């Protein structure tokens, strides 16, 4: 059952903190989840303490994401000036991932700073979407957020709004979902308007349920060549899964392309290590030689925030670690 009351959220936060202490290699995503539950419990000051602890750790992998979450939390309990300063810092740093931009923009939007939110969304999209390239799954929400803000501002559609419309898959169009007049309809006594609003809300709920059903990427497991060599030396029975390292890389790219062609969103790659895999097998009371354990291990790594989104930009470094661009390595047609 999902936490429902402030006490439930506090209990869940404490559980996550204990888990983070038990698995220090995964402490960052676990502490972020704990901080979110503390916010929902109303203990925003303690959530800020967790964010600050992550920001003081030089090994934190996603500092801009932590800063954005911290800014959103600080603004909610009266520290607007500090939140604004953090948001300005995020813009100056220009992080290469979508999440910090989106959280900062939505924080501005939530406090009626529509012009600033629009500017944040637009700046992020300019940075993260290369002309002619497919929009990554994680970046699509920036298009949706910008569309929503522009509807609130009452400005006409542009090319990015049209792209947001094209990527939107729910039955109710974005223009309708983001119509500011919907708020008036909620107070209407007209049965027709109320039925239309119920239809829109169901469409939104379906979109949210789809997102919640896949909170982390559908991930495939990648073994770097030295790790695969060590894995197969220790567990030769897994040789049936891995004919050779080049074959392994080719199979991963082919599997991801097949999933993408089938319409599966939010794809990613997780990189395995032998010690981590052995620890996972021990936690499952299973043998590392069991090939059925491999997809479970991949899913667990993805749930712990270890997935790298696929596909990368064609000019970005390839996911396989070759040092070449994705276009030159695995991104060819």
């Amino acid at each position: 059952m999902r936490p429902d009351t402030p006490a439930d959220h506090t209990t869940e936060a404490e559980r996550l903190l204990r888990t983070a202490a038990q698995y220090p290699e995964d402490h960052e995503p676990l502490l972020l989840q704990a901080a979110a539950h503390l916010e929902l419990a109303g203990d925003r000051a303690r959530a800020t303490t967790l964010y600050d602890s992550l920001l003081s750790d030089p090994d934190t992998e996603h500092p801009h994401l932590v800063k954005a979450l911290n800014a959103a939390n600080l603004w909610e309990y009266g520290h607007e000036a500090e939140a604004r300063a953090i948001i300005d810092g995020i813009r100056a740093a220009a992080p290469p991932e979508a999440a910090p931009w989106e959280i900062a923009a939505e924080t501005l939007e939530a406090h009626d700073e529509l012009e600033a939110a629009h500017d944040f969304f637009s700046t992020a999209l300019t940075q993260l979407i290369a002309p002619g390239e497919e929009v990554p799954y994680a970046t699509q929400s920036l298009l949706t957020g910008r569309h929503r803000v522009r509807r609130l501002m009452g400005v006409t559609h542009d090319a990015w709004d049209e792209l947001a419309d094209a990527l939107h898959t729910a039955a109710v169009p974005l223009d309708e979902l983001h119509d500011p007049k919907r708020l008036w309809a909620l107070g209407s006594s007209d049965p027709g308007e109320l039925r239309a609003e119920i239809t829109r809300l169901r469409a939104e709920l379906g979109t949210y349920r789809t997102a919640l059903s896949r909170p982390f990427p559908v991930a495939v497991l990648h073994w770097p060549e030295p790790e695969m060599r060590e894995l197969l030396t220790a567990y030769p029975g897994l040789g049936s899964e891995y004919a050779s390292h080049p074959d392994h890389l080719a199979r991963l790219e082919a599997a991801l392309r097949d999933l993408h062609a089938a319409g599966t969103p939010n794809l990613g790659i997780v990189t395995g290590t032998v010690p981590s895999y052995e620890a996972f097998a021990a936690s499952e009371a299973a043998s590392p030689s069991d090939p059925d354990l491999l997809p479970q291990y991949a899913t667990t790594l993805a749930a712990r925030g270890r997935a790298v989104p696929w596909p990368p930009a064609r000019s970005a470094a390839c996911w396989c670690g070759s040092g070449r661009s994705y276009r030159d390595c695995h991104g060819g047609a």
Side-chain angles (χ1 to χ4, degrees), residues 15-333:
R15 185 192 69 79
L16 289 163
L17 291 172
R18 291 192 298 272
T19 305
Q22 186 178 1
Y23 299 100
E25 70 277 12
D26 294 321
H27 78 287
E28 184 175 334
L30 292 168
L31 290 184
L32 289 179
Q33 291 178 53
H37 282 288
L38 290 172
E39 289 188 40
L40 291 168
D43 196 351
R44 292 188 175 276
R46 191 178 173 201
T48 292
T49 300
L50 288 184
Y51 293 133
D52 287 342
S53 71
L54 283 168
L55 291 171
S56 66
D57 183 351
D59 294 327
T60 293
E61 294 183 13
H62 304 287
H64 299 300
L65 172 62
V66 178
K67 288 178 181 179
L69 291 166
N70 195 25
N73 181 52
L74 285 166
W75 202 325
E76 288 299 323
Y77 77 110
H79 297 271
E80 178 183 338
E82 187 176 353
R84 285 182 181 276
I86 293 171
I87 289 172
D88 288 343
I90 292 169
R91 176 177 181 135
E97 62 273 5
W101 291 99
E102 181 179 5
I103 293 164
E106 289 184 344
T107 299
L108 292 165
E109 178 189 355
H111 294 279
D112 295 324
E113 303 275 349
L114 296 184
E115 292 282 355
H118 177 265
D119 183 58
F120 231 86
F121 278 124
S122 299
T123 302
L125 289 167
T126 300
Q127 265 204 196
L128 300 179
I129 299 181
E133 288 194 344
E134 184 174 350
V135 181
Y137 179 84
T139 308
Q140 292 178 17
S141 56
L142 291 173
L143 287 165
T144 302
R146 182 178 180 274
H147 184 288
R148 180 181 61 247
V149 168
R150 286 171 65 81
R151 285 288 278 144
L152 290 170
M153 294 170 64
V155 296
T156 57
H157 271 24
D158 63 7
W160 271 332
D161 289 324
E162 292 170 1
L163 182 56
D165 287 332
L167 293 171
H168 180 67
T169 57
V172 179
L174 277 184
D175 273 352
E176 199 169 335
L177 289 177
H178 294 164
D179 186 355
K181 295 180 181 178
R182 288 180 61 192
L183 295 176
W184 305 345
L186 292 175
S188 171
S189 59
D190 184 324
E193 288 184 355
L194 292 175
R195 278 194 296 271
E197 181 58 21
I198 288 170
T199 300
R200 289 189 289 261
L201 289 171
R202 282 176 174 163
E204 281 189 295
L205 182 60
T207 301
Y208 290 136
R209 280 177 173 164
T210 299
L212 287 171
S213 70
R214 189 170 292 131
F216 44 82
V218 174
V220 298
L221 178 59
H222 164 230
W223 294 99
E225 189 168 11
E227 294 291 337
M228 177 180 284
R229 191 181 308 117
E230 182 180 346
L231 179 76
L232 296 181
T233 300
Y235 309 104
L238 294 177
S240 60
E241 300 292 317
Y242 304 114
S244 69
H245 194 255
D247 178 74
H248 169 57
L249 299 182
R251 284 175 178 270
L252 290 191
E253 181 71 19
L256 288 163
R257 292 189 179 212
D258 287 346
L259 287 167
H260 181 67
T264 305
N266 202 14
L267 297 172
I269 298 170
V270 291
T271 298
T273 66
V274 174
S276 169
Y277 178 60
E278 291 174 335
F280 174 72
S283 71
E284 295 291 310
S287 168
S289 297
D290 182 358
D292 291 339
L293 202 62
L294 295 167
Q296 298 175 43
Y297 175 54
T299 300
T300 299
L301 291 178
R304 292 176 180 173
R306 297 295 176 185
V308 176
W310 182 94
R314 295 173 73 80
S315 58
C318 190
W319 56 265
C320 73
S322 66
R324 300 159 62 197
S325 72
Y326 177 61
R327 176 193 292 109
D328 294 337
C329 192
H330 282 96

